[in-house]
Amino acid sequence: MGFSTRVTNRNQQCEMVKQTRLCMMRPCENEEPSDKKGKKCIRTKKSMKAVRFEYKNCTSVQTYKPRYCGLCNDGRCCTPHNTKTIQVEFRCPQGKFLKKPMMLINTCVCHGNCPQSNNAFFQPLDPMSSEAKI
């Protein structure tokens, strides 16, 4: 689980505001790029089974079948292209509930405009830090 942040002025006051939402571009397990003939990448994958999201030791009340960004096997990055935001309710220990905005992916796209290098998307997190190694 990660965070997606943007700055926008789409509000009645036309003021710049920072918006943050939870997101999950792809599950953590290792995936290999597809060898499908005639295709250079698998851009969007839908979860085959319903899953519950986890955030700070809390679990989503509802189950979801999210779409994830796949991998590009030609060196490009695969990132969300069209998304929507939903409110997800989480049930936490001791019966507490928490609502958080979350990004759901509609479509992804492979492109060459990768931050630093494509490896930034796949490097493991340092267990002592909350930052990805770049």
Side-chain angles (χ1 to χ4, degrees), residues 1 5 19-20 27 29 50 52 70 74 78 81 100 107-108 125:
M1 189 71 69
T5 304
Q19 297 176 336
T20 302
E29 56 266 5
R52 292 188 192 275
D74 61 356
C78 187
H81 179 255
K100 288 284 185 185
T107 60
C108 298
L125 291 176

Side-chain angles (χ1 to χ4, degrees), residues 31-43 70-78 110-111 118 122:
E31 293 184 34
E32 294 296 320
S34 171
D35 289 334
K36 285 190 178 180
K37 291 184 180 182
K39 296 222 175 199
K40 291 193 174 199
C41 58
I42 297 211
R43 291 189 291 194
L71 301 175
C72 305
N73 61 11
D74 61 356
R76 296 181 295 164
C77 302
C78 187
C110 289
H111 57 84
N118 202 17
F122 304 107

Side-chain angles (χ1 to χ4, degrees), residues 45-91:
K45 294 182 175 184
K46 186 168 185 171
S47 177
M48 298 304 283
K49 61 180 182 175
V51 297
R52 292 188 192 275
F53 295 121
E54 293 182 18
Y55 172 70
K56 289 191 173 181
N57 208 22
C58 304
T59 305
S60 64
V61 173
Q62 286 186 286
T63 59
Y64 300 88
K65 281 191 172 182
R67 286 183 178 91
Y68 301 110
C69 289
L71 301 175
C72 305
N73 61 11
D74 61 356
R76 296 181 295 164
C77 302
C78 187
T79 58
H81 179 255
N82 183 284
T83 64
K84 66 181 178 181
T85 302
I86 63 168
Q87 291 292 322
V88 176
E89 186 173 21
F90 293 91
R91 181 179 292 123

